[in-house]
Amino acid sequence: MKTKKINNLKNAVVEQIVLWIVIFMSFVTMFFFVIDYSNALKANENADTLSQYAARMISINEETDDIIAGMNNIKGDHVSTIESDDLVCVDDTSVSNRQVIVNIYATLDNDFLEGDANNVHSKTVVFNESSEFQKECSLTLSLN
């Protein structure tokens, strides 16, 4: 009877150790998931903010160097410095819809999201206050 009780106790101890290992691994997995998810949201929010700012400044015909300087003040620490050559704008004089369209692209480096979902795309369209024609701009961010 005593040996049966000792064997049951050994099995219970092993089960407890396995249970605690599983619980610990679950918490660690959730911890890293939350960190990766928050980084993806931070990159998306930053791209949205930059596209809204750039669209507004382009719509009032602000100088490109001033727009870039403002964007560098707004961007997060995880975004590399934006140069004036990075912002590419094209005036389409065949379309007179008074729109400024700004597309900002970035790619997450941590492969948290699979495939195209790993790409961040922010698009903002505003009223063009300085011209009747459509102006489309694009910027690709480098994330650190």
Side-chain angles (χ1 to χ4, degrees), residues 47 49-72 80-91 100-105 122-124 135-142:
T49 302
L50 289 172
S51 72
Q52 292 167 2
Y53 173 80
R56 176 68 181 128
M57 292 298 113
I58 292 168
S59 73
I60 60 172
N61 206 21
E62 194 70 31
E63 293 292 324
T64 304
D65 290 337
D66 294 337
I67 295 170
I68 298 299
M71 290 174 79
N72 279 322
S80 297
T81 302
I82 303 167
E83 303 294 331
S84 59
D85 297 342
D86 295 339
L87 183 64
V88 178
C89 294
V90 176
D91 287 318
V100 172
I101 303 168
V102 176
N103 291 296
I104 295 189
Y105 305 98
S122 178
K123 182 177 186 175
T124 301
K135 188 172 202 170
E136 187 164 2
C137 301
S138 64
L139 171 69
T140 301
L141 299 176
S142 298

Side-chain angles (χ1 to χ4, degrees), residues 40 43-44 47 104-109 111-122 143:
N44 190 30
I104 295 189
Y105 305 98
T107 301
L108 299 174
D109 294 333
D111 292 331
F112 172 65
L113 303 170
E114 296 294 322
D116 287 340
N118 209 29
N119 296 329
V120 175
H121 177 216
S122 178
L143 302 177

